[in-house]
Amino acid sequence: MQIKSLETFSTKDICFVRATDSDGDRGWGMTAPFSANISALVLHQIAASIAMKPYEDFTTVADEVIYQQYKFLGTFLARAAAGIDTALWDLNAKKKGVSVAELAGKKRDVIDLYASSMKRDLPVQEEADRLRELQDRLGYKALKLHPGIPVGRDLDFWPGRTEDMVAAMVKTAKPDTHIIVDVNGNYSVETAIEMAKFLHSHGVKLFEEPCPYWEIEKTKAVRDACVEIGIPVAGGEQDYIDTMWERMIGQRVMDVCQPDLLYLGGFTRSLRIARLAAEKGLQVTPHTSNQSPIFIMGLHYMACIDTPYPFLECGIEDDRWALDCYRPLVEIKDGRSAVPTAPGWGFEPDADFLAKADYMITK
């Protein structure tokens, strides 16, 4: 296999990648959202020269981009590699006339979702009421709250908001709702352990990213304490370095692994993390916090991994940048979505988006 051209169509938020191979076949992928125009530049200036060498196996390309450009190791190189890798999965699945999930070893057809709120500063009852309305309308059986301030050093938007938010949500949600709390690295070890006790007492099912993600020893200390408390810990969405994942899984820093397919360097590398996690008996669910095509990729991923968490993240905010860039959108019914069955990923970039995006090509 050899890539003959790599094209990017980017805005600040979204970058689609189109790969064309020596047979003239094409596939669509994307880099991670946010500052995506930077990822496009990195793709063409740093990643493309490695990706466009001949390869016998397309799943080796992302690793070679990262390993051979090690002097530029960082999040934007991994994001660029993800754009190429996901385009190659789409291309090769289309060549075979199957979906990406089928090409990767599909095990399930429908995925249960959790509604993931991105609001951190709404009045607590207003937030609880809007999530309950979504449950009533779309059937979600699981919800995720994002209280506190990301990497906020134990701070809250106002004193007691997190505790009040959790209590209000437990009272307002449907009975037996699976509630997840994600604090995006807000806490010290001591505060996180005290919060874990509170969350467990209110029936919260998962405590996500309690400490700054790069301080894995602190997260492990919290996780070890949470074993006794009785609440599992999740993490990993920010991590893109293989050896860091190997350390975290080997040391059981978390109970639920949450790789972001596009931060990590693509579908191939994320499947590897899922295999490592399964070997250690850890569950996996990817970070898919918005309804851009990363959500579709997450459905394919959950369809073929061995130890999935019961729910996949589904962002609930009306972010037009995420929703207006591709078709068809995913249907949500009874809190679930079907894994696309069309060849490839099962989406195409919106023509109006492509016409307005910044365009670059390497060939």
Side-chain angles (χ1 to χ4, degrees), residues 75-287:
T75 183
F76 282 107
L77 180 60
R79 290 168 185 232
I84 298 168
D85 176 79
T86 53
L88 293 178
W89 273 95
D90 188 61
L91 187 158
N92 281 274
K94 286 175 175 174
K95 276 178 172 286
K96 295 181 181 295
V98 299
S99 71
V100 167
E102 290 171 309
L103 185 61
K106 185 178 180 182
K107 297 176 176 66
R108 50 197 72 86
D109 298 317
V110 181
I111 307 299
D112 289 306
L113 310 173
Y114 67 81
S116 184
S117 167
M118 293 295 121
K119 301 295 186 183
R120 298 178 180 274
D121 55 355
L122 289 178
V124 294
Q125 195 58 51
E126 180 180 339
E127 172 75 326
D129 288 343
R130 82 182 187 116
L131 287 168
R132 174 56 192 262
E133 188 277 329
L134 279 172
Q135 283 194 291
D136 292 337
R137 178 160 51 88
L138 295 176
Y140 290 108
K141 300 175 183 66
L143 306 171
K144 182 158 86 173
L145 304 174
H146 279 88
I149 298 174
V151 198
R153 300 177 178 88
D154 293 337
L155 297 178
D156 212 336
F157 274 93
W158 57 83
R161 182 184 183 276
T162 294
E163 292 87 343
D164 292 345
M165 183 69 255
V166 171
M169 194 70 257
V170 170
K171 182 179 179 180
T172 305
K174 287 185 175 183
D176 300 319
T177 295
H178 188 104
I179 295 177
I180 301 166
V181 172
D182 178 3
V183 297
N184 285 121
N186 188 25
Y187 295 140
S188 62
V189 171
E190 295 76 17
T191 303
I193 291 172
E194 290 306 307
M195 181 55 67
K197 295 175 183 176
F198 171 82
L199 297 177
H200 180 257
S201 72
H202 282 70
V204 172
K205 301 299 184 184
L206 189 63
F207 187 18
E208 182 177 339
E209 203 175 21
C211 303
Y213 74 89
W214 58 89
E215 297 178 336
I216 67 170
E217 293 80 10
K218 292 182 179 179
T219 301
K220 178 167 173 54
V222 173
R223 186 263 164 188
D224 289 348
C226 284
V227 172
E228 300 299 322
I229 295 167
I231 184 170
V233 169
E237 72 178 61
Q238 317 291 351
D239 293 281
Y240 59 89
I241 298 174
D242 301 58
T243 52
M244 184 63 77
W245 270 107
E246 291 168 7
R247 287 176 60 198
M248 293 190 301
I249 290 172
Q251 297 175 26
R252 205 177 182 106
V253 171
M254 73 282 284
D255 304 287
V256 178
C257 301
Q258 297 176 304
D260 185 299
L261 313 183
L262 301 181
Y263 294 172
L264 182 56
F267 197 68
T268 301
R269 289 163 61 82
S270 299
L271 288 174
R272 185 187 309 142
I273 298 306
R275 288 192 293 270
L276 287 173
E279 290 171 3
K280 296 295 184 179
L282 304 182
Q283 291 182 310
V284 180
T285 186
H287 174 242

